[in-house]
């Protein structure tokens, strides 16, 4: 690749493009031919490995005849129980490994072809089968000194792809058994996130198990057949099938954490996989062994009579190799998910079949043994049915019960699909295991008759030049060398990686004048003949490629023409559909407008309904208020009626008592008169009757007016009494008290001067009509007579406020005249009562306007006036018989609200 001064550094692009088209045409022809060819099938490869006897004293029932045949002999103790049993049975396998066979030989014969398939993108399955304690786990994993198949597979794989690994997180699992390609920036972010977790201590430290150190020291040669223009990445998963449930042994969290069972699903390519399993990308054998050791700590192991460390579950260690082609420069992975090729190698360590009569298992161990035997029996049944279906192609196929066991369900795509299946039958040659070994080898021999389709992964031909990655690497090395030599223009050179035709190396240098000239000429002639032949071959190849290219071009032209015709027809159909779509859109617009109108009508109706509903609620509220007002008025009038009836009853009783007193007085007078008439001492009796008359008048005055109170104000009076609204006040004359002058008349020219006697904090009246007093003086307490006589007042007003039966405030105004007495004092005679009440301005629905016939006075005022009239009539009757000086009270009827 080192350029010379005369040779240009850039290869012409015409030849490169022509070669790419030629390769694409040839690849398309090869693909068409491959579609016609029927896929080949291979049988299941079954190998037999015999374990060394544990001790020299044990009897062996197995003998190796040659590399493919093993003989199972019946021991003497078995013959004692079964006399008619066959003494020897011969079984043929693909290869039989004797007890002294090393782990490396087994790997080279069994597992190395599977790793080669993995590198080529094919699927492979390898599982170990046998009774418990026959060496299955040792064959698969090995120990600290002798590594098994699994670590050797990882070692040779990483040795092969060491120079072609992609950076971490370029390939990322999509959780659906597939992968996606991340850009360089996204992959860098994922790596930084992993570094942050590592610094936080989230990642586990590497195990110091001596098995890891020993595995890196094994020397294995890399395999051939790797595509140098691809990028590779390795992913591993580790699961176990315990009691017919699938568990992820690499699940994140503490080792002591209880694992959750997983489900088996089918991906888009009809491959079975464990959904939600942890898939780890590894970059070295050490990382893979570390992940395996983590899973081993969670794997269920147990102690039985036949095996101290017996596997109580089936373990599956999956290795998936993901590869994708690089770009035209061979530096980055193509960002196309369709170019990804995935190869899988499943290493299965089946648990050994057991007999409870020999293992003496009970409880949990017995249940585990039952599940192990059931799964192995399902595997045998599936393979038997599969063999019968393949051998009897014309008969109706049997339904294979893959779903009866998680193991067979997980590997269904291997038996029904493509791939290579290999099985290692492990035999314990002890005589005690004769019956179990017979069943195992019989099943293994039958399994060889099952045919599996050969995997042929299809890789997309992108027309990229083979060897572009290596050529680009060499070109960069050459540019760096030129820069070091001082050729700065080398940085501007571009590499055009294409197919370059060459006739071989340059001619060797010879000297014609040397003694070996003749032999040198003969060698040059031979070299020229070889060049001529090679040139003819290249010319023929070029012509062939050109012819293919022409045919391919003509085919492309035909396809282009047909596509044009199809495009024209599609355009016509598209135009019709577009017109139809526009018509439908117009209809939709019309319908939408009508829908809008209907929606507006519906909204208007809804608004009207809402308004009517609100009005109805308002009317209902008013009706409720009216009903409440009616109830209130009814209760109010009922209470008033009860009060009025009670008052009338009391007045009736009072009148009746008065009439009885009058009758009694008259009877007494008649009796006295009769006695006087009949008596001879008329003068004495006349004086006595006069005194009796005075006493009777005094008693009658007290009995006839028991509720009447009078107030006589003297210099010793300190406070006025509060009379009731239905009382008439007149002075009572006693011995030694001054009587009022009934002839006293005050001059009207002086006017009326009022003394208003009220409470300290009266309640505001708030009525429509207010009492009007032109000249007045308000006092709250009368302590001296001068308060009445000193102000030259002739009128007295007493204000009383109290609550009625309805809870309303009722104000009563008691009016009277101030009359001086003969002894120099003053006396008040009440002659008027006014009652003021506060009423709501809302009119009652049953209220009627007062008529002119005298019904305008309120009930309270009528009551007060009736009481005053009654009192006035009584006083008038008794006034003629009074001996002392009195003052008559005149009732002035006034109606106030």
């Amino acid at each position: 690749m080192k350029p010379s001064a005369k040779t240009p550094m850039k290869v012409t692009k015409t030849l490169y493009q022509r070669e790419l088209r030629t390769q694409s045409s040839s690849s398309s022809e090869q693909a068409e031919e491959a579609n016609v060819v029927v896929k080949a099938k291979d049988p299941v490869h079954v190998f037999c490995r015999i374990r060394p006897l544990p001790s020299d004293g044990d009897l062996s029932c197995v003998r190796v005849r040659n590399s493919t045949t093993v003989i199972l002999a019946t021991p003497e103790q078995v013959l004692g129980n079964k006399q008619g049993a066959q003494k020897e049975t011969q079984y043929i396998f693909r290869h039989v490994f004797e007890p002294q066979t090393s782990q490396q030989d087994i790997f080279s014969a069994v597992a190395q072809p599977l790793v080669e398939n993995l590198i080529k993108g094919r699927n492979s399955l390898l599982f170990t089968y046998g009774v418990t304690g026959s060496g299955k786990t040792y064959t698969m994993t090995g120990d600290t000194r002798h590594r098994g198949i699994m670590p050797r597979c990882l070692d040779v794989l990483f040795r092969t792809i060491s120079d072609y690994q992609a950076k971490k997180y370029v390939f990322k699992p999509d959780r659906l058994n597939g992968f996606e390609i991340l850009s360089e920036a996204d992959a860098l972010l994922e790596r930084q996130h992993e570094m942050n977790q590592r610094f936080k201590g989230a990642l586990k430290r590497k195990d110091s198990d001596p098995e890891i150190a020993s595995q890196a020291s094994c020397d294995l040669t890399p395999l051939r057949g790797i595509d140098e223009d691809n990028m590779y990445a390795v992913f591993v998963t580790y699961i176990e099938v315990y009691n017919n449930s699938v568990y992820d042994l690499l699940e994140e969290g503490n080792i002591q954490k209880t694992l959750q069972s997983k489900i088996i699903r089918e991906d888009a390519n009809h491959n079975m996989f464990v959904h939600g399993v942890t898939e780890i990308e590894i970059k070295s054998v050490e990382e893979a062994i570390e992940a395996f050791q983590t899973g081993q700590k969670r794997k269920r192991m147990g102690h039985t009579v036949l095996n101290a460390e017996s596997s109580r579950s089936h373990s599956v260690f999956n290795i998936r190799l993901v590869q994708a082609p690089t770009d035209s420069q061979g530096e980055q992975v193509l960002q196309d998910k369709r170019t990804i090729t995935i190869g899988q190698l499943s290493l299965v360590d089946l648990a050994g079949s057991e007999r409870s009569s020999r293992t003496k298992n009970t409880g949990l161990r017995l249940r585990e043994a039952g599940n192990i035997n059931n799964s192995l029996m399902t595997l045998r049944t599936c393979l038997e049915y599969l063999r019968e279906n393949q051998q009897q192609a014309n008969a109706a196929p049997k339904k294979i019960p893959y779903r009866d066991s998680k193991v067979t369900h997980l590997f269904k795509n291997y038996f029904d699909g493509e791939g290579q299946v290999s099985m290692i039958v492990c035999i314990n040659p002890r005589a005690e295991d004769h019956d179990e070994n017979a069943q195992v080898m019989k099943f293994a021999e039958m399994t060889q008759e099952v045919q599996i389709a050969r995997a042929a992964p299809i890789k997309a031909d992108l027309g990229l030049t083979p060897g572009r990655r290596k050529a680009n690497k060499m070109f960069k090395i050459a540019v760096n060398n030129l820069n070091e030599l001082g050729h700065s223009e080398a940085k501007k050179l571009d590499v055009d990686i294409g197919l370059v035709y060459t006739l071989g190396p340059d001619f060797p240098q010879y000297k014609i004048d040397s003694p070996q000239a003749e032999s040198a000429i003969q060698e040059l002639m031979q070299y020229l003949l070889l060049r001529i032949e090679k040139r003819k071959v290249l010319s023929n190849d070029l012509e062939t490629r050109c012819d293919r290219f022409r045919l391919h071009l003509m085919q492309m032209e035909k396809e282009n023409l047909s596509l044009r015709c199809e495009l024209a027809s599609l355009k016509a159909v598209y135009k019709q559909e577009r017109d139809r779509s526009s018509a439908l859109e117009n209809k939709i617009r019309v319908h939408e407008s009508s829908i809008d109108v209907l929606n507006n009508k519906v909204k208007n109706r809804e608004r009207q309904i809402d308004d009517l509903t609100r009005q109805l609620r308002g009317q209902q509220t008013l009706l409720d208020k009216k009903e409440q007002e009616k109830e209130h008025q009814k209760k109010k009038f009922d209470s008033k009626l009860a009060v009025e009836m009670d008052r009338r009853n009391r007045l009736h009783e009072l009148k009746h008592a008065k009439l009885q007193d009058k009758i009694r007085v008259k009877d007494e007078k008649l009796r006295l008169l009769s006695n006087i008439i009949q008596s001879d001492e008329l003068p004495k009796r006349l004086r006595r009757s006069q005194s009796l008359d005075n006493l009777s008048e005094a008693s009658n005055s007290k009995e006839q007016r028991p509720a009447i109170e009078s107030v006589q104000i003297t210099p010793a009076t300190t406070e006025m009494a509060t009379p009731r609204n239905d009382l008439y006040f007149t002075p009572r004359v006693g011995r030694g008290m001054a009587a009022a002058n009934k002839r006293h008349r005050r001059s009207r020219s002086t006017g009326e001067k009022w003394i208003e006697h009220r409470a300290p904090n009266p309640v505001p009246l708030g009525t429509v009509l207010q009492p009007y007093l032109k000249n007045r003086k308000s006092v709250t307490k009368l302590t001296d007579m001068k308060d009445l006589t000193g102000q030259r007042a002739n009128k007295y007003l007493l204000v009383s406020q109290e609550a009625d039966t309805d809870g309303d405030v009722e104000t009563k105004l008691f009016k009277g005249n101030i009359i001086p007495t003969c002894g120099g004092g003053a006396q008040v005679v009440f002659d008027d009562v006014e009652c003021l009440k506060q009423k709501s301005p809302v009119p009652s629905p049953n209220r009627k306007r007062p008529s002119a016939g005298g019904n305008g006075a309120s009930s309270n005022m009528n009551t007060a006036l009736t009481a005053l009239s009654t009192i006035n009539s009584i006083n008038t009757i008794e006034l003629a018989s009074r001996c002392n000086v009195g003052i008559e009270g005149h009732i002035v009827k006034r109606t106030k609200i």
Side-chain angles (χ1 to χ4, degrees):
M1 292 298 293
K2 187 176 292 184
S4 61
K6 296 181 180 180
T7 305
M9 292 296 294
K10 188 173 182 179
V11 183
T12 58
K13 295 183 179 180
T14 305
L15 182 61
Y16 171 59
Q17 295 175 355
R18 183 174 62 188
E19 181 63 18
L20 290 182
R21 293 172 183 172
T22 305
Q23 288 183 359
S24 63
S25 63
S26 62
S27 63
S28 62
E29 291 176 359
Q30 293 175 2
E32 292 176 358
E33 294 175 358
N35 292 333
V36 178
V37 178
V38 179
K39 294 182 179 179
K41 292 187 177 182
D42 295 324
V44 177
H45 297 169
V46 180
F47 302 87
C48 179
R49 184 180 189 182
I50 301 174
R51 174 183 176 175
L53 288 172
S55 61
D56 296 337
D58 293 336
L59 297 176
S60 176
C61 61
V62 178
R63 186 177 73 257
V64 179
R65 172 172 292 182
N66 52 39
S67 61
T68 59
T69 307
V70 65
I71 295 175
L72 180 63
T74 305
E76 293 180 358
Q77 60 268 31
V78 176
L79 286 175
N81 296 331
K82 299 180 181 179
Q83 297 294 335
Q86 187 178 356
K87 293 184 178 181
E88 291 185 354
T89 307
Q90 179 176 303
Y91 299 97
I92 299 174
F93 301 101
R94 187 176 182 86
H95 191 84
V96 177
F97 299 104
E98 296 185 9
Q100 65 272 15
T101 306
S102 64
Q103 296 276 59
Q104 176 62 34
D105 295 338
I106 295 176
F107 168 75
S108 300
V110 180
Q112 186 169 333
L114 304 182
V115 179
E116 293 176 355
N117 291 340
L118 178 65
I119 294 174
K120 295 177 182 178
R122 301 172 183 173
N123 297 335
S124 301
L125 171 64
L126 173 62
F127 60 93
T128 57
Y129 183 80
V131 299
T132 181
S134 59
K136 300 183 297 299
T137 304
Y138 174 80
T139 302
M140 188 62 68
T141 60
D143 54 16
T144 56
R145 294 184 300 171
H146 306 93
R147 295 190 307 162
I149 292 175
M150 185 272 296
R152 292 177 186 272
C153 290
L154 292 170
D155 194 357
V156 72
L157 177 62
F158 279 105
R159 289 178 184 273
T160 304
I161 66 170
S162 59
D163 296 333
Y164 309 101
Q165 287 196 70
K167 294 181 179 179
K168 201 167 186 180
Y169 297 113
V170 171
F171 299 100
K172 185 178 180 181
D174 60 359
R175 312 294 291 179
L176 295 175
N177 205 35
F179 290 88
E180 57 186 7
I181 301 175
L182 299 183
S183 61
E184 186 64 27
D186 294 339
L188 181 60
L189 290 176
E190 293 289 341
R191 290 193 292 271
Q192 290 178 353
H193 180 66
E194 182 188 14
M195 292 296 293
N196 293 335
Q197 286 185 344
R198 181 178 301 173
F199 289 137
K200 291 178 181 179
L203 295 180
K204 301 175 183 178
R205 62 180 182 84
K206 291 188 176 181
D207 200 346
S208 60
D209 199 315
E211 183 180 353
I212 300 175
S214 64
Q215 304 202 349
S217 62
C218 184
D219 187 10
L220 294 174
T221 58
L223 302 178
R224 298 180 181 179
I226 190 170
D227 191 349
E228 297 180 353
D229 294 321
N230 287 356
M231 290 284 192
Y232 297 86
V234 181
F235 293 84
V236 296
T237 61
Y238 194 18
I239 63 173
E240 71 169 353
V241 181
Y242 176 73
N243 288 339
N244 206 27
S245 297
V246 182
Y247 298 96
D248 182 11
L249 296 178
L250 299 181
E251 185 175 345
E252 295 181 358
N254 191 6
I255 296 177
Q256 304 298 330
K257 174 184 176 182
T258 303
L259 300 179
Q260 299 294 328
S261 62
K262 306 292 182 181
I263 61 175
I264 299 175
R265 298 182 62 180
E266 186 176 6
D267 63 3
N269 297 324
H270 305 288
N271 293 324
M272 311 306 296
F273 71 100
V274 179
H275 181 68
V277 70
T278 303
E279 196 161 11
I280 302 175
E281 183 178 4
I282 56 176
K283 292 299 179 182
S284 63
V285 182
E286 289 75 12
E287 292 183 10
I289 298 300
E290 180 184 357
F292 175 76
Q293 292 294 337
T294 302
Q296 281 293 103
K297 294 177 182 179
R298 292 178 172 175
K299 184 180 176 182
R300 292 171 173 86
M301 306 292 289
H303 176 77
T304 62
V305 175
L306 302 180
N307 192 354
E309 294 184 359
S310 176
S311 299
R312 311 313 297 168
S313 63
H314 310 295
S315 61
V316 182
F317 190 81
N318 286 324
I319 304 172
R320 295 220 288 176
L321 181 64
V322 184
Q323 53 182 308
T326 56
D327 55 8
S328 60
Q329 301 297 324
E331 296 179 349
Q332 302 294 335
V333 179
L334 286 176
Q335 297 292 320
D336 189 356
K337 187 177 180 180
R338 296 172 297 178
T339 61
I340 296 178
T341 303
I342 304 173
Q344 178 172 326
L345 174 58
S346 298
L347 303 177
V348 184
D349 181 14
L350 295 176
S353 58
E354 299 176 354
R355 286 189 180 183
S356 59
S357 60
R358 295 189 60 198
T359 59
K360 308 299 182 182
N361 290 331
T362 57
L364 179 61
R365 292 289 177 264
L366 183 61
R367 179 189 173 192
E368 293 171 348
N371 288 318
I372 292 171
N373 294 334
N374 289 336
S375 61
L376 296 177
M377 182 61 67
T378 304
L379 176 62
R380 177 178 295 185
T381 303
C382 291
L383 291 177
E384 288 179 356
Y385 285 2
L386 186 61
R387 178 178 63 87
E388 293 177 5
N389 292 340
Q390 292 177 356
Q391 291 179 354
Q392 301 174 2
N394 297 328
K398 293 183 179 180
K399 183 179 179 181
I400 303 175
Y402 289 115
R403 292 181 177 268
D404 291 352
S405 174
K406 298 296 184 181
V407 176
T408 55
H409 189 197
L410 183 60
F411 300 118
K412 173 179 177 295
N413 56 286
Y414 284 102
F415 300 115
D416 282 351
E418 298 177 350
Q420 182 176 347
V421 180
S422 298
M423 180 173 67
I424 300 177
V425 178
C426 297
I427 301 298
N428 192 347
R430 294 192 311 165
E432 291 83 356
D433 296 334
H434 172 269
D435 294 341
E436 289 83 354
N437 290 332
Q439 296 293 331
V440 168
M441 286 192 284
K442 182 179 179 181
F443 165 68
E445 193 176 34
M446 180 271 298
T447 304
Q448 295 180 111
E449 301 177 6
V450 177
Q451 300 290 325
I452 305 297
R454 185 179 301 171
I458 300 175
K459 295 184 179 181
D461 189 359
L462 304 175
L464 299 175
T465 305
R468 58 190 177 277
R469 185 178 184 182
K470 190 172 183 179
N472 188 29
K473 184 177 180 181
M474 295 175 64
F475 175 77
K476 290 182 177 180
I477 293 174
V479 170
N480 292 332
N481 292 335
L482 290 175
N483 287 330
E484 292 177 358
L485 294 175
H487 299 280
S488 59
E489 65 275 5
K491 295 182 179 180
K492 301 179 181 179
L493 297 177
D494 295 330
V495 62
D496 188 3
I497 303 172
L499 185 59
V500 179
Y501 285 89
T502 177
L503 297 177
D506 296 337
F507 286 102
Q509 296 180 1
Y510 293 99
K511 292 181 180 181
I512 304 299
D513 55 353
S514 62
Q516 296 82 12
E518 293 296 332
S519 61
I521 290 172
Q522 293 296 328
E523 291 179 3
L524 289 174
M525 289 177 64
Q526 294 295 329
Y527 191 79
L528 285 173
L529 290 175
L530 291 175
R531 277 210 165 190
I532 291 171
E533 291 297 330
K534 192 170 184 179
R535 184 169 186 175
K536 288 181 180 180
V537 173
L538 292 176
S539 299
N540 294 333
D541 182 67
L542 180 60
E543 290 178 359
T544 304
R545 289 177 179 272
C546 290
D547 294 339
R548 289 181 181 177
F549 177 71
R550 293 189 190 96
L551 292 175
H552 185 66
L553 185 61
M554 292 175 64
Q555 184 68 23
M556 294 295 292
E557 189 65 27
K558 289 180 181 179
E559 292 180 359
N560 189 20
L561 183 61
S562 63
L563 290 175
R564 285 181 181 178
C565 296
E566 186 178 357
L567 180 62
S569 62
L570 290 176
K571 284 184 178 179
V573 174
Y574 171 71
K575 184 178 180 181
Q576 293 177 359
E577 292 295 331
R578 186 174 59 186
D579 296 339
R580 182 169 171 270
S581 177
S582 61
L584 291 175
E585 287 177 356
N586 294 330
K587 289 184 180 180
I588 289 173
R589 292 192 194 95
V590 173
H591 289 304
E592 285 179 351
S593 61
S594 62
I595 288 172
D596 292 337
V597 173
L598 292 176
N599 287 333
N600 293 331
K601 289 184 178 179
V602 169
K603 290 180 180 177
N604 293 332
R605 293 293 184 269
E606 289 178 352
R607 285 196 294 270
Q608 292 178 2
I609 291 171
D610 293 339
D611 295 339
L612 293 175
T613 304
R614 285 194 295 272
Q615 293 179 4
L616 182 61
R617 289 198 189 113
Q619 295 293 334
Q620 188 68 30
T621 304
L622 292 176
L623 290 175
D624 294 339
K625 289 183 179 179
K626 288 181 179 179
E627 292 294 332
Q628 293 177 359
E629 186 68 23
K630 286 181 179 179
E631 293 293 331
H632 182 69
Q633 293 291 338
K634 183 178 179 182
K635 293 179 180 179
K636 180 178 177 181
F637 287 122
D638 290 342
S639 62
K640 287 184 177 180
L641 180 61
V643 171
E644 183 68 20
M645 292 296 294
D646 187 32
R647 188 184 65 80
R648 289 183 179 275
N649 291 332
R650 289 198 305 271
L651 290 177
H652 177 71
E653 293 176 357
L654 182 61
K655 288 181 180 180
H656 182 71
K658 290 179 180 179
L659 292 176
Q660 292 293 332
D661 293 338
K662 286 181 180 180
I663 293 172
R664 184 176 55 80
V665 170
K666 288 181 179 180
D667 291 341
E668 183 67 21
K669 286 182 178 181
L670 290 176
R671 185 180 59 81
L672 292 175
L673 182 60
S674 176
N675 293 331
I676 293 172
I677 294 173
Q678 294 177 2
S679 177
D680 295 335
E681 296 177 359
L682 182 59
K684 292 181 181 180
R685 293 189 178 274
L686 182 61
R687 287 192 297 268
R688 184 182 296 176
S689 65
Q690 187 177 1
S691 62
L692 289 174
D693 289 338
N694 292 333
L695 292 175
S696 63
E697 287 178 2
S699 62
N700 288 336
S701 176
K702 291 182 181 179
E703 292 176 358
Q704 290 175 1
R705 290 179 295 177
I708 297 176
E709 297 179 5
S710 63
V711 178
Q712 192 174 26
I713 300 174
T714 61
T717 304
T718 58
E719 187 176 354
M720 291 195 65
T722 303
R724 294 201 303 255
N725 58 346
D726 57 347
L727 301 181
Y728 176 79
F729 296 91
T730 182
R732 290 182 298 176
V733 180
R735 181 177 296 180
M737 296 180 61
N741 186 8
K742 65 177 183 179
R743 296 183 179 180
H744 172 76
R745 294 289 185 271
R746 192 178 294 274
S747 175
R748 294 183 178 179
S749 61
T750 59
E752 295 181 350
K753 293 183 180 181
W754 290 83
I755 296 295
E756 182 183 12
H757 189 184
R758 63 180 182 179
N761 295 316
V763 178
L765 296 179
T767 56
V768 177
L769 298 178
Q770 298 285 340
Y772 176 72
L773 301 175
K774 185 175 180 181
N775 189 3
R776 68 178 177 178
K777 178 183 178 181
S778 298
V779 295
T780 59
K781 183 181 293 187
L782 294 176
T783 59
D784 192 1
M785 188 184 65
K786 292 183 178 180
D787 295 335
L788 291 176
T789 59
Q791 301 295 333
R792 296 183 179 181
N794 55 5
K795 293 289 185 179
Y796 175 81
L797 176 64
L798 178 63
V799 180
S800 175
Q801 291 183 334
E802 59 184 4
D804 61 359
T805 57
D806 295 333
D808 297 332
V809 177
E810 184 178 23
T811 303
K812 294 182 180 180
L813 306 178
F814 299 92
K815 298 179 180 181
N817 295 320
I818 300 174
I819 300 173
T821 59
C822 297
Q827 182 174 323
V828 176
V829 178
F830 292 95
D831 57 2
D832 193 7
V833 178
E834 295 184 7
C835 181
L836 305 180
K837 284 188 178 182
Q838 295 179 355
K839 293 291 184 180
S840 175
V842 180
S844 176
N846 297 327
R847 184 175 182 179
K848 296 182 181 180
R849 295 177 61 86
S851 61
N855 295 327
S858 63
S859 60
N860 292 332
M861 186 59 67
N862 287 333
T863 304
L865 295 178
T866 303
L868 291 175
S869 299
T870 305
I871 296 170
N872 187 22
S873 61
I874 295 173
N875 291 334
T876 303
I877 295 173
E878 299 296 330
L879 183 63
S881 61
R882 289 181 179 274
C883 299
N884 57 348
V885 179
I887 299 176
E888 181 181 359
H890 300 279
I891 297 174
V892 180
K893 293 184 180 180
R894 297 180 184 177
T895 303
K896 291 186 181 181
I897 298 175

